[in-house]
């Protein structure tokens, strides 16, 4: 059995709304609750209770919670490269704490 390799040359940080501004123009992962989908724009509520517009490039998710992999294009805009459904029950408070730790005290372990 072949184990797929993981590219560690360009790690992708997990962010909440507050952390997005640190990564403008860069690729990030953001988990949010889908609030509205209109055409190719999806509004998600982040783990720190802000709203972000996601510019969809593929199919819109069907789950209530979704992880967006994309590029930060502005203070509250991400251009999606892909998305993964996280189901209809996800602990956003825990995720917010993980984002804070991964981008703060324990950043050296993740980036």
């Amino acid at each position: 059995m072949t184990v797929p390799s993981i590219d560690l040359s360009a790690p992708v940080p997990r962010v909440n709304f507050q952390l997005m501004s640190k990564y403008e123009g860069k690729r990030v992962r953001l988990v949010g609750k889908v609030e509205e989908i209109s055409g190719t724009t999806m509004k998600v509520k982040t783990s720190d209770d802000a709203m972000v517009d996601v510019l969809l490039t593929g199919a819109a998710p069907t789950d209530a919670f979704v992880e967006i992999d994309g590029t930060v294009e502005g203070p509250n805009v991400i251009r999606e490269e892909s998305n993964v459904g996280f189901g209809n029950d996800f602990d956003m408070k825990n995720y917010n704490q993980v984002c804070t730790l991964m981008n703060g005290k324990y950043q050296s372990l993740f980036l």
Side-chain angles (χ1 to χ4, degrees):
M1 180 166 101
T2 305
V3 177
S5 63
I6 298 173
D7 180 10
L8 299 175
S9 64
V12 180
R14 294 184 180 278
V15 299
N16 57 20
F17 177 77
Q18 182 181 10
L19 294 164
M20 276 178 54
S21 63
K22 287 177 52 177
Y23 298 101
E24 190 158 346
K26 297 185 178 154
R27 192 169 159 205
V28 297
R29 288 199 175 107
L30 172 96
V31 173
K33 182 173 190 271
V34 177
E35 296 290 327
E36 177 184 336
I37 299 172
S38 178
T40 59
T41 302
M42 173 173 64
K43 292 189 179 296
V44 298
K45 188 173 188 179
T46 64
S47 59
D48 52 349
D49 291 325
M51 295 301 290
V52 170
D53 289 336
V54 178
L55 306 177
L56 297 170
T57 58
T62 57
D63 292 354
F65 294 93
V66 63
E67 179 182 64
I68 306 300
D69 186 340
T71 302
V72 178
E73 291 201 343
N76 69 327
V77 178
I78 294 180
R79 178 168 303 280
E80 172 225 36
E81 293 177 26
S82 65
N83 70 68
V84 176
F86 273 18
N88 296 319
D89 185 24
F90 186 81
D91 192 327
M92 294 288 276
K93 289 185 184 206
N94 279 346
Y95 178 79
N96 196 57
Q97 188 65 20
V98 166
C99 287
T100 301
L101 293 171
M102 289 177 82
N103 287 278
K105 184 177 180 179
Y106 299 105
Q107 185 172 12
S108 63
L109 297 173
F110 298 99
L111 298 177

